[in-house]
Amino acid sequence: MLNKFMIAPSILSADFARLENEIKKVESAGADWIHVDVMDGHFVPNLTIGAPVVKCIRPVTKLPLDVHLMIENPEKYLNDFAQAGADYITVHIEAVKETENCLKQIQSLGCKAGITLRPGTRLDRILPYLHLVELVLVMTVEPGFGGQSFMKQQIEKINILRKEIDKNKYKALIEVDGGINIETARQCQNADVLVAGSFVFKNDYKYAIEGLKAAKCN
Ligand code: DX5
Ligand code: ZN
């Protein structure tokens, strides 16, 4: 486990008219990854951005692009996101048809594979795939919108995942997404990577990112 959190600002809360500038600002403020929320208006009741935007932002940052697919039929779009320059591609267990195939397809496209679940989905659903993935994402809000409140009942999932990963020496990093601020970050000690949208973009970026990193007690 890492001794500081890695921070993945979600560009969902950025100013899209100034996206290049926003990404450069969070990068120089210490961000580790850039989190890209892809929504299709079907899997979640909101529409955001797709692979063409990932392609545009790829050359503006050296940071890994962490693409969170909240879409139906994710299999259909994996190639587009890989070609666009995604580093991590995370799919929802509720949306994939053949989970193992899908994760292996992501890896065969040269990307790192992530698996995630809605807050209401039992952790058992993803445990059989834990040995396959580079990333497991615990949703601490209902996917679809930024700015929601952290669901603390989800912390148990983080703790169980930590035990499973350590016990079996799996490579997966644990990421948490939704309602992250300094106070809720402190409750996620067993995580490795924190996604933060509104907390980063509504505050001074450096203050927010450094504060979140330091929320890990060593
Ligand atoms: C929610 C998205 C999150 C969202 C987080 O569906 O997956 O990544 O941007 O935003 P905050 O940090 O504002 O909860
Ligand atoms: Zn997300």
Side-chain angles (χ1 to χ4, degrees), residues 10 12-13 35 37 39 68 70 139 141-148 177-180 195-199:
S10 164
L12 190 59
S13 298
H35 186 82
D37 286 306
M39 306 185 190
H68 176 192
M70 288 162 273
M139 290 303 302
V141 296
E142 196 57 54
F145 300 92
Q148 304 180 76
D177 185 4
I180 291 292
V195 175
S198 40
F199 185 70

Side-chain angles (χ1 to χ4, degrees), residues 33-39 49-51 54-55 58 63-93 95-96 99-117 129 132-137 172-173 175 177:
W33 296 356
I34 299 295
H35 186 82
V36 182
D37 286 306
V38 177
M39 306 185 190
I49 55 172
V54 173
K55 189 174 178 193
R58 178 64 289 174
L63 299 181
L65 299 180
D66 170 32
V67 175
H68 176 192
L69 295 183
M70 288 162 273
I71 62 176
E72 284 176 6
N73 299 313
E75 297 87 353
K76 206 173 147 188
Y77 301 95
L78 299 177
N79 191 47
D80 291 353
F81 284 99
Q83 293 304 317
D87 292 281
Y88 286 83
I89 299 181
T90 297
V91 291
H92 270 265
I93 189 78
V96 285
T99 308
E100 186 163 341
N101 279 350
C102 180
L103 297 170
K104 288 186 169 161
Q105 198 191 335
I106 294 171
Q107 290 160 337
S108 72
L109 290 164
C111 300
K112 293 186 168 121
I115 186 84
T116 186
L117 72 176
Y129 309 103
L132 286 174
V133 296
E134 280 84 18
L135 185 67
V136 54
L137 171 58
L173 292 172
E175 186 179 45
D177 185 4

Side-chain angles (χ1 to χ4, degrees), residues 102-208:
C102 180
L103 297 170
K104 288 186 169 161
Q105 198 191 335
I106 294 171
Q107 290 160 337
S108 72
L109 290 164
C111 300
K112 293 186 168 121
I115 186 84
T116 186
L117 72 176
R118 292 179 182 279
T121 301
R122 288 174 56 92
L123 191 62
D124 306 2
R125 294 267 311 270
I126 62 166
L127 291 178
Y129 309 103
L130 203 52
H131 65 291
L132 286 174
V133 296
E134 280 84 18
L135 185 67
V136 54
L137 171 58
V138 175
M139 290 303 302
T140 44
V141 296
E142 196 57 54
F145 300 92
Q148 304 180 76
S149 300
F150 182 81
M151 299 167 77
K152 64 173 189 290
Q153 323 82 274
Q154 302 302 312
I155 295 170
E156 196 190 351
K157 290 180 180 167
I158 306 170
N159 298 339
I160 295 170
L161 286 166
R162 177 86 275 147
K163 279 193 196 130
E164 280 297 305
I165 290 169
D166 289 355
K167 183 177 79 191
N168 296 293
K169 299 193 166 54
Y170 293 150
K171 58 185 175 296
L173 292 172
I174 303 173
E175 186 179 45
V176 182
D177 185 4
I180 291 292
N181 55 39
I182 306 278
E183 189 197 325
T184 56
R186 288 203 182 105
Q187 300 170 40
C188 301
Q189 292 300 320
N190 279 324
D192 301 296
V193 188
L194 304 177
V195 175
S198 40
F199 185 70
V200 168
F201 287 99
K202 289 193 185 353
N203 282 295
D204 175 80
Y205 300 174
K206 204 169 162 68
Y207 154 82

